[in-house]
Structure formats: structure tokens, C-alpha cells
């Protein structure tokens, strides 16, 4: 089983739709969580950190469920510019350092 | 501008010809790391460095070497490249690799280096 698992998609949605991605992780000792966005052939960039109580940044809402070991990302009112791959990242203290483990990503395609 | 700079961005080489991919950051970050990205596998860590002269293997270190003689530079060396090292490589840095320190582990990535080994 992969340490961080994501539905690869693609999720094809019309502009204005609400879309949600889930990500599960296997290590219950994981401490912090992030969503990164990666445009085609570009570098990943931090979208948002995920806090234990959940957090919102404009149209984006991230939730953490430690009991079930998953995090989610909700995008409301999708824009064409939201088309990208969304990477779930889990930070686990292992072997004396904080190891960031990346999911393989969920691809989102927003169409007119 | 705060950034991580990688070179070359694109390279086609042949099996066995040693190459170095440079990485430099101007943010005085302690922590640096190299990843490779392959379709369906996500980002996999090759090597990382907690600080100057401190490096360690990641998940896929075979066939690679690194060094960290200065804080800003973290080159990736392929002594004898093979076709299975054809990939997209990213260098990244963060302020430090700290426990429960907000922002400490947020990575800034370079633009990527696409390497093809024939």
C-alpha cells in the first residue's frame, strides 16, 4: 500500500462546479499536511497547508480527519485556471527528520 | 526574487556520460532535497541535506550522488547515467527541517530539469 494515495482522476468539471479531492495516508504518526498545485510540466507550488480544524482560503477548503487518516480539498466555483494536478503531501517524522511524502496527484480539468 | 534555480532545464545525454545538475537557492534555507517525478509515481526523494556537509539518502538514491559544500548549492551528480534515470528532476528547499514549526517544512521548488538518457 502506498504511504499517500490519491485518486489520479482526471476530474473533468464545468466552470462553476464544486469539486472535492480526497487523499489517504497510512502513517498515523503523520504530523502536518499540505496541498500543492502543479501545472503541466511546471514545478509544484504550495496551495495551502492543512490545519487540524480545517481551513479555508477563498474558494479552497482543506479538511483533515486524523481518525480516518485522510485529508480533503474542496474547490468551489471552479475556474478554467484551476486546471492542474493537485498533490497531497504528508509530513511524517521518521529516521530523525521530517519526511515529506507526496501523493501521485489528482488531475483536474475545468472546461467552459 | 527568492528562488531555487536549476540547470540545465533540459538535457539529452547518452548512457555512461557523467553529468551534473546544479541547484542553487538564495533564501538561506537549511534544508535542500532532490526529487524525481515519473508518470503515476509522483515525486520520489533521491537525496536530501539538512545543512552544509550533512546529506542522506532518500527513497531512490541508487545511481546518484550529491554534495553540500555551501549552504546555497546542492548539485545532483549522475556518475554513469542509464536510461532508467530518464525523468523530470526537481530540486527543492525549505527554511529548515523542523518539527511542528509552522512554515519550516514548506518546500520551494526549482523549475525542474528534464533529463533524457539514450
Amino acid at each position: 500500500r502506498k504511504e499517500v494515495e490519491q485518486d489520479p482522476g482526471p476530474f473533468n468539471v464545468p466552470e462553476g462546479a464544486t469539486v472535492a479531492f480526497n487523499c489517504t495516508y497510512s502513517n498515523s504518526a503523520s504530523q502536518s499536511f499540505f496541498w500543492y498545485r502543479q501545472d503541466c510540466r511546471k514545478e509544484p507550488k504550495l496551495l495551502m497547508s492543512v490545519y487540524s480544524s480545517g481551513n479555508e482560503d477563498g474558494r479552497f477548503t482543506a479538511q483533515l480527519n486524523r481518525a480516518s487518516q485522510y485529508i480533503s480539498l474542496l474547490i468551489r466555483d471552479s475556474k478554467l485556471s484551476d486546471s492542474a494536478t493537485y498533490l497531497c503531501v504528508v509530513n511524517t517524522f521518521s529516521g530523525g527528520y521530517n519526511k515529506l511524502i507526496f501523493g501521485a496527484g489528482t488531475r483536474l480539468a475545468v472546461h467552459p | 526574487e527568492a528562488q531555487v534555480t536549476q540547470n540545465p532545464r533540459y538535457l539529452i545525454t547518452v548512457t555512461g556520460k557523467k553529468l551534473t545538475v546544479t541547484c542553487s537557492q538564495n533564501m538561506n534555507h537549511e534544508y535542500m532535497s532532490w526529487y524525481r517525478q515519473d508518470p503515476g509515481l509522483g515525486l520520489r526523494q533521491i537525496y536530501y541535506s539538512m545543512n552544509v556537509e550533512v546529506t542522506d539518502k532518500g527513497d531512490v538514491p541508487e545511481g546518484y550522488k550529491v554534495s553540500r559544500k555551501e549552504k546555497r548549492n546542492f548539485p545532483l551528480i549522475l556518475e554513469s547515467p542509464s536510461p532508467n534515470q530518464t525523468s523530470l528532476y526537481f530540486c527543492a528547499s525549505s527554511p529548515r527541517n523542523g518539527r511542528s514549526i509552522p512554515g519550516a517544512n514548506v518546500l520551494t521548488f526549482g523549475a525542474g530539469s528534464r533529463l533524457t538518457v539514450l
Side-chain angles (χ1 to χ4, degrees):
Chain A
R1 183 188 170 190
K2 290 182 181 176
E3 292 184 82
V4 178
E5 294 206 65
Q6 296 182 249
D7 183 339
F11 284 61
N12 293 301
V13 303
E15 274 186 290
T18 294
V19 61
F21 309 136
N22 284 334
C23 165
T24 59
Y25 60 96
S26 60
N27 190 334
S28 59
S30 298
Q31 302 169 323
S32 53
F33 310 87
F34 309 90
W35 283 101
Y36 278 71
R37 171 196 167 124
Q38 185 175 23
D39 293 300
C40 189
R41 297 193 181 93
K42 297 283 185 71
E43 73 273 25
K45 292 183 179 178
L46 179 70
L47 177 65
M48 55 197 305
S49 302
V50 185
Y51 301 115
S52 56
S53 58
N55 47 299
E56 187 174 310
D57 182 2
R59 297 182 294 109
F60 299 85
T61 300
Q63 293 278 352
L64 167 63
N65 186 319
R66 285 190 186 271
S68 300
Q69 294 180 208
Y70 78 83
I71 66 175
S72 64
L73 178 67
L74 181 77
I75 305 176
R76 289 181 299 277
D77 189 23
S78 299
K79 312 289 185 193
L80 294 175
S81 57
D82 293 334
S83 297
T85 297
Y86 291 83
L87 306 176
C88 171
V89 185
V90 174
N91 182 22
T92 302
F93 191 74
S94 170
Y97 89 111
N98 286 280
K99 184 174 182 179
L100 288 170
I101 302 168
F102 287 76
T106 298
R107 195 152 62 89
L108 171 65
V110 182
H111 57 82
Chain B
E1 182 190 351
Q3 59 186 357
V4 177
T5 303
Q6 297 178 225
N7 280 296
R9 294 287 317 282
Y10 302 91
L11 180 63
I12 300 175
T13 190
V14 295
T15 298
K17 186 176 181 182
K18 180 180 178 180
L19 68 93
T20 299
V21 186
T22 63
C23 174
S24 180
Q25 50 93 5
N26 62 0
M27 297 168 281
N28 200 38
H29 284 175
E30 290 183 358
Y31 179 82
M32 298 186 75
S33 183
W34 275 103
Y35 296 87
R36 60 177 290 173
Q37 187 174 35
D38 302 289
L41 295 178
L43 284 154
R44 294 180 293 167
Q45 190 177 49
I46 303 170
Y47 269 93
Y48 65 94
S49 170
M50 299 285 271
N51 214 324
V52 177
E53 301 291 4
V54 182
T55 64
D56 209 343
K57 296 177 181 178
D59 297 315
V60 288
E62 295 78 19
Y64 305 95
K65 285 173 59 175
V66 293
S67 66
R68 186 94 182 271
K69 294 185 172 61
E70 309 160 281
K71 200 170 189 178
R72 63 185 293 129
N73 295 324
F74 190 45
L76 179 69
I77 303 154
L78 286 75
E79 293 274 3
S80 182
S82 62
N84 65 11
Q85 291 178 298
T86 292
S87 189
L88 177 58
Y89 291 87
F90 288 104
C91 180
S93 70
S94 69
R96 59 177 298 186
N97 190 263
R99 258 190 119 159
S100 301
I101 302 173
N105 300 312
V106 173
L107 291 170
T108 300
F109 284 84
S113 297
R114 187 167 291 279
L115 171 64
T116 301
V117 183
L118 301 175

